[in-house]
Amino acid sequence: MPLIILALFIGLPLIELYFLIQVGGEIGALPTIALSILTAIIGTWLVRLQGFGLLLRVREMMDRGEVPALEVMDGALILAAGLFLLLPGFMTDALGFLLLVPPLRRWVIARFVRVAPAPRYPGPGPDRGPRVIEGDYRRED
């Protein structure tokens, strides 16, 4: 696992740099920088818009007494999308914009919920009764 993380920290910036150089060679350096800044601005606006919508949904659910578990995961993906959109580069921008598509986010959450193990809580069973701790006491005044 540490080797994979190291490869991502080294490989992803190199790939981003390669794409930036290629695009800069085609359209020029200043338009490439402007395009990178434009994607960050548009992405920030979209993240803010979807974040406020999510916040309203969470408040409504909490007012009804429901637990907004899936909405919290949705918010985490919107936060990740915002991070990807703020990083310079076209691959991270593409990933960030993909995470802003609600059906794709729902698909990612469904995959995560299906793959993640459910927590195990010991429930009442035939061998589990109330927990009793026996002891003696003496009152001294």
Side-chain angles (χ1 to χ4, degrees):
M1 187 68 172
L3 190 59
I4 294 172
I5 293 173
L6 181 65
L8 283 174
F9 275 118
I10 294 173
L12 188 62
L14 290 175
I15 294 170
E16 289 285 7
L17 189 58
Y18 172 77
F19 281 125
L20 283 171
I21 291 171
Q22 292 297 320
V23 171
E26 290 294 321
I27 66 173
L30 289 178
T32 302
I33 293 171
L35 187 61
S36 182
I37 292 172
L38 181 67
T39 58
I41 291 170
I42 292 171
T44 302
W45 178 74
L46 287 172
V47 165
R48 185 176 180 188
L49 187 70
Q50 289 192 10
F52 281 132
L54 178 69
L55 183 62
L56 291 175
R57 284 198 321 263
V58 167
R59 281 185 101 164
E60 289 172 0
M61 289 184 74
M62 291 182 72
D63 287 343
R64 291 191 306 253
E66 299 174 3
V67 178
L70 296 178
E71 280 71 18
V72 169
M73 294 176 72
D74 201 23
L77 288 177
I78 290 173
L79 182 67
L83 176 68
F84 285 135
L85 286 165
L86 286 177
L87 291 174
F90 295 116
M91 283 183 38
T92 53
D93 287 346
L95 184 59
F97 281 121
L98 283 174
L99 285 177
L100 288 178
V101 177
L104 185 62
R105 278 198 318 267
R106 283 192 292 271
W107 179 80
V108 169
I109 291 169
R111 293 265 314 174
F112 178 76
V113 169
R114 188 172 49 232
V115 171
R120 300 191 141 243
Y121 298 107
D127 58 343
R128 291 188 184 97
R131 186 172 181 179
V132 177
I133 300 175
E134 293 186 26
D136 293 325
Y137 75 96
R138 177 177 47 177
R139 185 173 184 165
E140 295 180 9
D141 289 327

